[in-house]
Amino acid sequence: MKNKWVSQKVEELKSSPIREEFDKVAQLKSEGIEVIDFSIGRPFFDTPSTIKEETKRALDKGMVHYTGSTGILELRNAIVQRILIDKGVRYDPGEIIVTIGGTEGMFVAIQTLLSPGDEIIVPDPMYAYYKGWINYAGAKCIPLPLKEVDFSLDIEGLKKNINSSTKMILINSPHNPTGSVFSHQNLEEIAKLSKKYDLFILSDEIYQRITYDNCKAISIASFPQMKERTIISDSFSKTYAMDGWRVGYLAAPREIINQIAKLHQHIISCPNTFVQIGAITALNRSQQIVEDMIAEFTRRRELTINYLREMILPFVTPKGAFYVFPSIKGFSISSEEFADYLLEEARVAVVPGNAFGNAGERHIRLSFSPSYEEIENGLQRMGKAIKGLRKNKVNP
Ligand code: PLP
């Protein structure tokens, strides 16, 4: 119900459907009901112990006071090195801001660049918070449906949506929720269009290092003359299983980063001090931990897609991130009803596709992050429940 004390901007914000699913699962678990959770968007791994140990040492050494608002220089230097290796783009530490995860980074980037009336084109389905962040800036989110066959970008559709109000394009590759990785050709086309129509790019690269089948996720900032019109948002949440630490970063041209830094300062003053030591450790130590995690995700992905094949649920094999986005078009119920049914009948939690925008409807998102055993158990239960649905002729 509308409250007269609450601003219209906040009143209009919708809480994330993923968080709602999270709360539903937590409620069931608190009642002692066992649920297998395929809805959660985090690695089911612990943060590597070296990162924890260095952070504890930092606390013991008294690193408990404010740092500079854009983050410790040593961390920004380590980020610069990592970007050069992973994304092939050379930044200066003055072009980096350490953020409270990708969430704060994306929020401040959007609020800094978009004014009321501006349009930003976003591939649909999309990460659930994007629309809220864009609306909060008073700007307009223009959803661009991904191609259903392979969840690739529809470049012709993109061209049609560009007009005099278009200011930005938001891309997220590897993509949540589909696991799609945008091709070199697709990104090149976007780069060309952004230069032709003078558009800025916000590139959410939070899953960049998590890819399969020798697929490489390319940063659009690495294309000629693109660094100057791109903001990269990245985070430690997924790559290093540090989602609860709340640390990430933005990389952008200095004149843009200086503007973003003002808003960032107004919101958080500075990132958490000892957490930044954990982040430095993550970047500077052996990256074998990341390789091991990806190898395990690869096993879990295989298991998941084999079960989906058995269930005859059509899907596009994910090339990155740790999600698969099967279609439920063969059933005559909505994605929300489908997710509720699975929770009720199989005690399995998935995210309804409509949580990610209109183009997500008639799909569900499954995270293949839970343990191998949980995936087996959960997907067997899901398979039985789906058979039940088919028997009851819920499908047309
Ligand atoms: N962007 C995408 C596509 C995500 O999936 C997430 C988290 O799930 C985020 C940004 C924000 O992550 P964090 O704030 O933990 O870095």
Side-chain angles (χ1 to χ4, degrees):
M1 205 182 32
K2 194 165 164 38
N3 183 309
K4 69 171 184 171
W5 300 109
V6 175
S7 75
Q8 195 178 335
K9 255 178 149 183
V10 171
E11 180 76 42
E12 284 170 3
L13 275 181
K14 292 197 178 68
S15 72
S16 156
I18 303 174
R19 288 266 128 199
E20 280 169 18
E21 202 60 37
F22 184 82
D23 293 342
K24 272 190 209 167
V25 174
Q27 175 61 31
L28 287 171
K29 284 185 174 167
S30 75
E31 291 165 16
I33 298 167
E34 183 253 357
V35 177
I36 296 186
D37 193 0
F38 292 107
S39 73
I40 191 83
R42 71 162 175 88
F44 266 46
F45 301 98
D46 194 4
T47 303
S49 57
T50 46
I51 299 174
K52 287 192 195 171
E53 288 310 320
E54 286 301 321
T55 308
K56 285 187 220 164
R57 255 196 285 281
L59 272 171
D60 289 341
K61 277 198 277 182
M63 297 199 68
V64 293
H65 302 294
Y66 297 134
T67 66
S69 53
T70 58
I72 297 172
L73 181 61
E74 191 187 347
L75 175 54
R76 286 182 288 125
N77 275 327
I79 290 170
V80 163
Q81 288 311 317
R82 202 62 245 169
I83 296 181
L84 191 57
I85 298 168
D86 294 337
K87 309 182 197 286
V89 194
R90 195 174 292 278
Y91 283 90
D92 180 274
E95 296 173 310
I96 308 290
I97 296 179
V98 179
T99 60
I100 307 291
T103 303
E104 190 242 338
M106 296 283 293
F107 180 82
V108 289
I110 287 172
Q111 306 314 313
T112 303
L113 267 82
L114 293 178
S115 301
D118 287 342
E119 294 187 4
I120 174 167
I121 300 173
V122 189
D124 182 10
M126 67 186 80
Y127 179 53
Y129 287 135
Y130 290 165
K131 201 161 178 228
W133 293 334
I134 294 164
N135 290 344
Y136 198 79
K140 205 165 162 197
C141 174
I142 308 295
L144 173 70
L146 290 175
K147 288 184 182 166
E148 274 242 43
V149 275
D150 56 0
F151 295 128
S152 65
L153 283 165
D154 174 7
I155 297 296
E156 286 312 308
L158 175 60
K159 284 182 195 161
K160 283 190 197 128
N161 276 291
I162 297 174
N163 62 48
S164 57
S165 300
T166 312
K167 190 162 185 195
M168 288 178 85
I169 302 170
L170 194 165
I171 50 176
N172 165 222
S173 171
H175 183 250
N176 179 6
T178 65
S180 153
V181 174
F182 300 156
S183 67
H184 185 280
Q185 198 189 349
N186 263 187
L187 294 171
E188 197 166 43
E189 300 265 18
I190 296 176
K192 259 194 221 154
L193 289 171
S194 74
K195 284 184 267 187
K196 180 168 176 194
Y197 295 102
D198 195 20
L199 309 175
F200 224 86
I201 305 288
L202 177 54
S203 184
D204 183 349
E205 301 182 3
I206 189 165
Y207 299 101
Q208 199 211 359
R209 289 181 62 194
I210 307 174
T211 56
Y212 313 101
D213 306 332
N214 297 320
C215 173
K216 188 166 163 28
I218 307 163
S219 173
I220 194 156
S222 66
F223 286 81
Q225 292 101 45
M226 285 309 290
K227 184 194 158 191
E228 51 259 46
R229 53 175 71 248
T230 301
I231 302 175
I232 293 174
S233 173
D234 208 330
S235 163
F236 294 75
S237 292
K238 320 288 175 177
T239 318
Y240 299 101
M242 289 174 73
D243 44 288
W245 295 60
R246 314 305 305 126
V247 59
Y249 67 83
L250 292 173
R254 196 183 284 257
E255 58 282 17
I256 298 290
I257 220 83
N258 287 346
Q259 294 295 325
I260 297 176
K262 291 191 295 182
L263 181 59
H264 164 81
Q265 231 179 42
H266 275 75
I267 297 177
I268 68 152
S269 270
C270 71
N272 307 306
T273 305
F274 48 90
V275 164
Q276 293 184 68
I277 302 300
I280 293 171
T281 314
L283 295 179
N284 286 350
R285 295 290 169 90
S286 159
Q287 299 298 296
Q288 191 55 43
I289 42 174
V290 183
E291 300 307 318
D292 293 347
M293 188 172 75
I294 294 167
E296 185 51 35
F297 273 144
T298 308
R299 244 167 50 88
R300 296 179 193 186
R301 182 189 69 146
E302 281 321 295
L303 182 68
T304 306
I305 62 182
N306 285 340
Y307 271 107
L308 290 177
R309 272 193 200 110
E310 250 177 49
M311 284 179 222
I312 327 171
L313 278 189
F315 64 91
V316 177
T317 302
K319 290 257 189 278
F322 38 79
Y323 309 111
V324 56
F325 203 55
S327 164
I328 53 156
K329 289 211 171 96
F331 302 87
S332 58
I333 55 176
S334 70
S335 61
E336 249 174 61
E337 288 166 329
F338 199 90
D340 284 345
Y341 171 78
L342 289 182
L343 193 57
E344 178 74 21
E345 195 63 26
R347 296 290 179 216
V348 153
V350 299
V351 184
N354 71 346
F356 304 97
N358 288 342
E361 180 50 26
R362 316 308 296 278
H363 291 81
I364 51 170
R365 188 193 77 175
L366 270 139
S367 160
F368 49 85
S369 178
S371 73
Y372 202 85
E373 295 68 33
E374 275 188 305
I375 294 177
E376 269 197 311
N377 187 356
L379 293 187
Q380 279 166 10
R381 280 167 23 189
M382 184 169 148
K384 268 193 210 138
I386 286 178
K387 257 191 201 151
L389 254 192
R390 289 201 167 104
K391 239 194 224 134
N392 292 334
K393 298 205 185 329
V394 180
N395 46 333

